[in-house]
Amino acid sequence: MEAKTVNNNEKILAKDVMKTDNIISVSPETSVKEVARLLIDNKISAIPVVNKFNEILGVVSEGDLISKVVKPHEPGLGSFLFHAALASNDKVLEYRKAMARWNAKTAEDAMTAPAICVRADEPVENVGKIMLDDKVKRVFVADEGHLLGVISRSVFVELLLRE
């Protein structure tokens, strides 16, 4: 797959299209309610969770917060015992994870980890492939785990206008 180019000589890299202004992030201790408020107030659909060194730990998206509102379906005792004892533990683990998210109080409890990150020198075409393959709406640009920027799907719409 050939990397997207502005002209025949210049490849477009993640650093060329990433948004760096006003990147909002939260600490792991930030309450889920505050995360929700930041998403609504800033009209964004996800927020990175970073530690005090600005290293990306995960991301809380609108999808993650749905789990806070919709209580997971509790399997019946028979089903629970069947999956716990006879079948794979996937169903049991899935239910436990869903309950943990439903009970989440902080960004760390609610986040998806790890967040999908790319290097600043990653060709934008590769970034798009990652987003499509992983079915995500945004990726974070990082240098040794440190947040530098964000690339959302809208970047690819903007690239159409450059051609």
Side-chain angles (χ1 to χ4, degrees):
M1 183 182 313
E2 181 128 354
K4 201 76 167 159
T5 58
V6 176
N7 60 43
N8 292 337
N9 302 322
E10 183 182 336
K11 287 184 180 179
I12 301 173
L13 304 176
K15 66 183 177 185
D16 300 327
V17 297
M18 69 182 182
K19 305 295 183 192
T20 57
D21 296 338
N22 303 319
I23 297 177
I24 299 162
S25 62
V26 296
S27 73
E29 299 82 21
T30 304
S31 75
V32 170
K33 292 253 186 199
E34 179 60 19
V35 170
R37 174 62 45 214
L38 288 167
L39 293 178
I40 294 296
D41 288 351
N42 293 284
K43 296 178 176 54
I44 55 177
S45 62
I47 195 164
V49 180
V50 299
N51 65 16
K52 64 182 178 180
F53 304 108
N54 204 38
E55 295 169 322
I56 304 170
L57 304 176
V59 60
V60 179
S61 69
E62 291 171 329
D64 294 322
L65 295 182
I66 290 173
S67 300
K68 282 292 298 161
V69 178
V70 179
K71 186 173 182 179
H73 173 70
E74 188 173 335
L77 181 59
S79 176
F80 190 82
L81 291 174
F82 171 77
H83 287 294
L86 303 175
S88 73
N89 282 333
D90 290 348
K91 292 281 186 191
V92 174
L93 292 174
E94 186 179 304
Y95 175 70
R96 286 184 179 156
K97 280 184 183 177
M99 281 305 294
R101 286 208 172 183
W102 188 67
N103 288 311
K105 303 286 186 244
T106 66
E108 184 174 33
D109 297 336
M111 73 183 182
T112 297
I116 298 176
C117 298
V118 296
R119 297 180 325 273
D121 62 351
E122 189 72 42
V124 76
E125 185 165 334
N126 293 351
V127 174
K129 183 171 179 359
I130 290 167
M131 292 173 74
L132 288 172
D133 290 349
D134 292 339
K135 296 177 175 67
V136 295
K137 296 178 181 179
R138 89 257 342 122
V139 296
F140 299 100
V141 181
D143 179 25
E144 295 184 18
H146 295 87
L147 180 61
L148 299 176
V150 63
I151 298 175
S152 65
R153 295 184 301 184
S154 64
V155 161
F156 294 89
V157 176
E158 291 169 7
L159 285 174
L160 283 173
L161 297 177
R162 286 192 192 180
E163 293 181 353

